[in-house]
Amino acid sequence: MDGNFGKTIVPFPFDSHHNPEAIEYGKLSIADRIAQIKDDLTADERAAVEAFLLLCSGGTTDNSSFLDFLRWWAAGGHNYTTLMDTLITFKFRCGQSGFALRFFQEALDSKKLMYAFDSPVAQVDDYGDTVTVTCRDGKKFTAKRVICTVPLNVLNNVKFNPPLNAAKRDAANLGHVNQCVKVHAEIKNREMRSWGGVAYPHNKLIYGIGDGETPAGNTHCVFFGADANHIQPEENIEETIKALKTFAPMEIERVVSESPLSKPLLTTPDLP
């Protein structure tokens, strides 16, 4: 690409304004970039590359941005080992929710925090010197400035005055392309604690990895599907088990799944 592992194109992954050479790559999808390098890849290499990229995007090669992956790569130090360490190896002991709760507790301890839960926002009015946020139940909050962190897929449920710019409206209309399905499996095979595998494009789950031990001393493996429309684990557990065993022979004790199109959690303590 640039002969420098992307360091020339994206030297500053955390500040897009300092990566002028990356702008042209914003027009490319993953499919576009794969087409450019297809003659340099074997069939197995292409399958491995596409599976990993789809695992990260949760979408398709056509609707996943190549520039977004350039930024991911740069954020991992332009190095695959470091990237995988940041994605998989190092985790918060308390989990993401625990991490967020600690921020909240710190704010509470300052005695300067006012907050409201269970208050869906209906409208945001920016008057220049003040901003008013109106909730669906009629409650109103006024401040000098507002930081909006409304998730993209529900952003259209909030009315903004003045309206959001065209790019943000287009993004909200499109919605998030990530439809990743995640399946956790507790299995008896201890040798799979450090295992990793790809089953793409012939399997509904495309990428799997060993992720240590469970409290019971079994192996914990995590599997990913790139698009929730391809497999909904709780709808057909036998199909899910078949997809898991496509990767390797395994004795499955329990399965927990996460899907954006279905129930957030499924546990199956007694498998067929």
Side-chain angles (χ1 to χ4, degrees):
M1 185 172 53
D2 64 0
N4 195 25
F5 298 101
K7 295 176 184 177
T8 302
I9 295 173
V10 187
F12 302 104
F14 304 109
D15 188 345
S16 59
H17 296 292
H18 286 79
N19 300 297
E21 293 192 32
I23 295 176
E24 63 178 288
Y25 294 97
K27 302 174 183 178
L28 294 181
S29 67
I30 290 300
D32 294 330
R33 180 56 180 164
I34 292 292
Q36 290 178 347
I37 63 172
K38 62 181 175 61
D39 294 334
D40 297 324
L41 301 174
T42 66
D44 286 345
E45 287 171 339
R46 177 167 179 169
V49 168
E50 287 192 22
F52 178 73
L53 295 176
L54 291 175
L55 147 72
C56 296
S57 78
T60 68
T61 56
D62 289 317
N63 66 16
S64 299
S65 166
F66 176 56
L67 180 58
D68 192 40
F69 283 99
L70 282 178
R71 184 186 61 80
W72 270 52
W73 174 256
H78 304 89
N79 177 278
Y80 180 74
T81 301
T82 307
L83 175 64
M84 295 305 290
D85 282 344
T86 60
L87 290 176
I88 295 176
T89 304
F90 298 106
K91 304 171 184 174
F92 294 120
R93 184 180 296 275
C94 60
Q96 292 281 5
S97 296
F99 187 56
L101 285 172
R102 293 187 184 192
F103 274 95
F104 183 66
Q105 187 60 52
E106 181 180 5
L108 281 180
D109 292 342
S110 72
K111 309 297 183 183
K112 297 179 181 179
L113 175 68
M114 296 178 62
Y115 63 92
F117 294 132
D118 298 320
S119 302
V121 173
Q123 185 167 328
V124 177
D125 294 288
D126 187 347
Y127 300 106
D129 55 346
T130 61
V131 182
T132 298
V133 176
T134 304
C135 299
R136 293 179 189 173
D137 61 5
K139 285 189 298 188
K140 293 189 177 185
F141 300 88
T142 300
K144 290 185 178 180
R145 64 180 68 175
V146 166
I147 299 173
C148 176
T149 60
V150 176
L152 182 63
N153 284 358
V154 295
L155 191 58
N156 278 335
N157 295 339
V158 180
K159 180 180 179 181
F160 290 87
N161 179 35
L164 296 176
N165 64 42
K168 291 181 180 179
R169 293 198 302 272
D170 288 344
N173 290 333
L174 176 64
H176 206 296
V177 302
N178 189 330
Q179 296 293 317
C180 179
V181 172
K182 195 176 190 180
V183 177
H184 300 263
E186 180 176 351
I187 64 177
K188 289 184 177 180
N189 312 72
R190 291 179 58 81
E191 69 276 9
M192 294 183 69
R193 286 175 295 169
S194 58
W195 165 87
V198 172
Y200 173 85
H202 59 278
N203 195 28
K204 292 186 175 182
L205 294 173
I206 63 173
Y207 199 99
I209 189 167
D211 195 30
E213 285 188 344
T214 68
N218 292 318
T219 298
H220 172 219
C221 288
V222 188
F223 301 84
F224 299 88
D227 190 323
N229 292 301
H230 293 167
I231 186 169
Q232 296 185 40
E234 76 290 349
E235 296 296 331
N236 189 333
I237 189 61
E238 292 185 2
E239 181 183 47
T240 301
I241 299 303
K242 180 180 178 182
L244 294 175
K245 291 186 175 181
T246 296
F247 287 89
M250 61 183 76
E251 294 183 67
I252 303 172
E253 290 281 289
R254 191 165 67 103
V255 171
V256 178
S257 72
E258 304 170 49
S259 169
L261 298 183
S262 55
K263 301 174 184 177
L265 187 67
L266 168 73
T267 346
T268 56
D270 299 312
L271 295 172

